[in-house]
Amino acid sequence: MTKPIGKKFNKKRMARKIVFSALYATKITEGSIDLSALQKKVTDGGDADFAYAKQLLEDYLENKDKIDAMIQECQTPSKRSENTDVEIAILQMAVTEMLVTEISHKVAINEAIEIAKEYGAEGGYKFINAVLDSISNKIQGREV
């Protein structure tokens, strides 16, 4: 039996799901992030830390080129050749969190894996784990 997560932790997970869904939506619509629509979604039915979600999205936009370059560099095409937009959006969210917040890399990686298990392609969480582990090592100066 799994232990239920705490209310504060759940608010952060919901914030991460908001960030992931916003980044995914930009890939599908080729549009921009609409923070007002996200806030309405949260207000209408979500129990999320909207301020955290908004900050992550702003941090992603500010560091987009660096984050996307890190993801591209740390992917291993031979392991998985077809990366879905869902997986890329999860990676963008997690790398942003690893770069600009005080959240431990382990927590950011675990949260990304949980979101990938829920929304990603079958086995996509393994790809996400490998890429984020590589990026974490790079950020911490432990390139492998």
Side-chain angles (χ1 to χ4, degrees):
M1 178 162 67
T2 60
K3 183 179 176 184
I5 59 177
K7 192 170 189 162
K8 181 178 178 182
F9 192 77
N10 189 46
K11 287 182 179 226
K12 288 274 196 260
R13 180 170 288 171
M14 293 303 295
R16 289 178 185 100
K17 286 181 178 182
I18 289 168
V19 172
F20 147 69
S21 64
L23 293 172
Y24 175 69
T26 64
K27 294 184 177 321
I28 299 304
T29 64
E30 296 181 8
S32 60
I33 296 170
D34 184 356
L35 291 174
S36 62
L38 289 175
Q39 182 152 20
K40 180 172 178 8
K41 179 180 177 182
V42 172
T43 306
D44 286 349
D47 186 23
D49 184 343
F50 182 73
Y52 187 74
K54 182 178 177 188
Q55 187 61 53
L56 271 182
L57 286 168
E58 289 171 353
D59 290 337
Y60 170 74
L61 292 172
E62 188 175 312
N63 297 286
K64 180 184 184 322
D65 293 337
K66 179 180 181 178
I67 290 165
D68 291 345
M70 290 178 87
I71 292 168
Q72 186 66 33
E73 183 181 325
C74 292
Q75 290 184 54
T76 309
S78 61
K79 298 243 181 193
R80 184 172 171 90
S81 60
E82 295 181 22
N83 305 315
T84 68
D85 288 337
V86 168
E87 291 162 333
I88 298 303
I90 292 169
L91 287 169
Q92 290 170 327
M93 180 265 316
V95 174
T96 302
E97 195 167 34
M98 290 165 56
L99 279 175
V100 301
T101 72
E102 297 297 319
I103 301 290
S104 78
H105 289 195
K106 183 177 179 179
V107 169
I109 292 169
N110 287 339
E111 285 295 296
I113 289 169
E114 290 303 315
I115 292 170
K117 285 179 180 178
E118 188 173 346
Y119 298 102
E122 184 176 334
Y125 71 92
K126 294 175 187 176
F127 167 76
I128 286 173
N129 185 36
V131 173
L132 291 178
D133 188 50
S134 178
I135 290 172
S136 178
N137 286 332
K138 186 180 195 98
I139 291 170
Q140 296 175 14
R142 299 181 310 208
E143 290 191 53
V144 182

